[in-house]
Amino acid sequence: MLKIERRVCGCDYGASSWTTRSEADRMAVLLELRPGSRLLDVGSGSGWPGLYLSRTTGCDLALVDLPVFGLKVAQTRRMKETSNSSVWLVLADAAALPFAHASFDAICHADLLCCLLCKKAVLRACQNILRPGRPMVFSVISIPPRLSESDHRRALEAGPEFVASKSSYRSLLAQTGWTVEEQQDVTESFTQLTVDRLEAERAYHRELVLSAGPETVERRIKNLEERRDVLADGLLKRELFVVKSAR
Ligand SMILES: C[S@@+](CC[C@H](N)C(=O)[O-])C[C@H]1O[C@@H](n2cnc3c(N)ncnc32)[C@H](O)[C@@H]1O
């Protein structure tokens, strides 16, 4: 899996989002990271992109995830790397972040909001702990409005578990006190990533079957094919938001 990730995304952190290395590099600039600044990566999984951003910019970092599995992988990796920055690993719910008010200079999350139900609570929790005027950068997958019932069903099946949202992200952000500075459509690179991933999984098919078993591999390939087709039909989109506190 790491070989595939290196080939497709340019990283090997065990990522489960669709953030490539070039997108992570763009996030570093948008987040204005430098040594001494304090970054929070919410829903960090095994440390992507937070650990990479801390290593490349020298910023201090807190990783938050539920459950503990990904944090343990991140901890092992962190212990192997030499760095002067501080890294905290925090087992916590993204909707109830256990940090003091205004204690971070930057926040990022990669495809987190489409993996949970309580999107507004997470946006509010982030708002409380970010210093006023500082950036939060995040990617999210969503379903475009006004699809037919059958297209909407296809999008739901091919998207992440909680891809559905009653309100648009613009509206959720406005309701929770955020101002949108930039909203970039990155669906094209998401589509390319899906196609590249499919090709890579086919190329490493034999090795994957040996480690994960044929049923798992076939299911993964089928899911990727469905997502590729749904993306080709314009039924899912992925966006990158840069937001600041409006309060
Ligand atoms: C799409 S994955 C992204 C993981 C990682 N940032 C990456 O890029 O590979 C979303 C992550 O959010 C975490 N997550 C989901 N719900 C959460 C919650 N309520 N609180 C904290 N983390 C959560 C999951 O465990 C998962 O690691």
Side-chain angles (χ1 to χ4, degrees):
M1 292 305 288
L2 290 179
K3 276 191 212 165
I4 291 176
E5 192 181 331
R6 250 176 249 128
R7 172 166 155 174
V8 175
C9 303
C11 57
D12 56 6
Y13 282 76
S16 54
S17 69
W18 292 270
T19 302
T20 59
R21 185 153 136 193
S22 68
E23 187 173 289
D25 289 335
R26 201 150 97 229
M27 283 171 117
V29 175
L30 294 167
L31 289 163
E32 302 162 19
L33 298 176
R34 58 180 70 89
S37 50
R38 195 181 286 170
L39 168 69
L40 172 66
D41 181 357
V42 195
S44 57
S46 46
W48 179 255
L51 278 182
Y52 171 78
L53 293 173
S54 172
R55 187 168 62 73
T56 51
T57 69
C59 72
D60 293 333
L61 171 71
L63 300 175
V64 165
D65 205 85
L66 273 182
V68 77
F69 174 77
L71 292 171
K72 285 190 172 162
V73 177
Q75 184 180 32
T76 306
R77 182 171 188 127
R78 160 71 182 168
M79 281 176 345
K80 286 188 195 147
E81 290 175 345
T82 47
S83 163
N84 292 328
S85 55
S86 302
V87 176
W88 298 275
L89 300 140
V90 185
L91 180 68
D93 186 347
L97 294 167
F99 302 106
H101 177 69
S103 49
F104 287 91
D105 302 299
I107 297 180
C108 67
H109 38 100
D111 304 312
L112 165 73
L113 294 175
C114 42
C115 291
L116 44 72
L117 273 173
C118 48
K119 304 175 199 312
K120 258 163 88 168
V122 172
L123 290 171
R124 270 202 199 99
C126 289
Q127 157 90 239
N128 180 46
I129 58 170
L130 185 64
R131 296 207 170 107
R134 301 298 307 163
M136 175 164 85
V137 176
F138 68 92
S139 54
V140 68
I141 296 165
S142 61
I143 301 178
R146 294 178 288 281
L147 295 186
S148 69
E149 207 175 302
S150 62
D151 280 349
H152 194 265
R153 206 172 319 113
R154 277 183 69 204
L156 276 180
E157 277 163 17
E161 190 176 359
F162 296 108
V163 67
S165 174
K166 281 197 184 113
S167 311
S168 71
Y169 280 95
R170 274 226 165 228
S171 160
L172 290 178
L173 286 160
Q175 289 168 43
T176 49
W178 294 97
T179 301
V180 177
E181 303 259 311
E182 277 184 60
Q183 181 178 357
Q184 301 169 8
D185 190 326
V186 290
T187 311
E188 210 177 303
S189 61
F190 177 40
T191 306
Q192 190 58 50
L193 201 69
T194 305
V195 171
D196 293 349
R197 178 123 214 159
L198 194 50
E199 271 174 28
E201 299 236 350
R202 284 182 181 140
Y204 288 103
H205 191 265
R206 211 173 62 84
E207 281 178 65
L208 285 173
V209 167
L210 283 175
S211 67
E215 290 85 14
T216 306
V217 177
E218 289 321 315
R219 196 173 51 244
R220 284 175 59 85
I221 288 182
K222 193 168 165 279
N223 288 346
L224 281 166
E225 284 170 347
E226 272 166 21
R227 183 165 297 163
R228 176 202 57 196
D229 296 345
V230 158
L231 280 162
D233 292 342
L235 307 183
L236 280 177
K237 66 176 172 179
R238 184 170 183 268
E239 291 172 296
L240 190 71
F241 284 89
V242 183
V243 298
K244 289 193 175 160
S245 171
R247 290 180 183 144

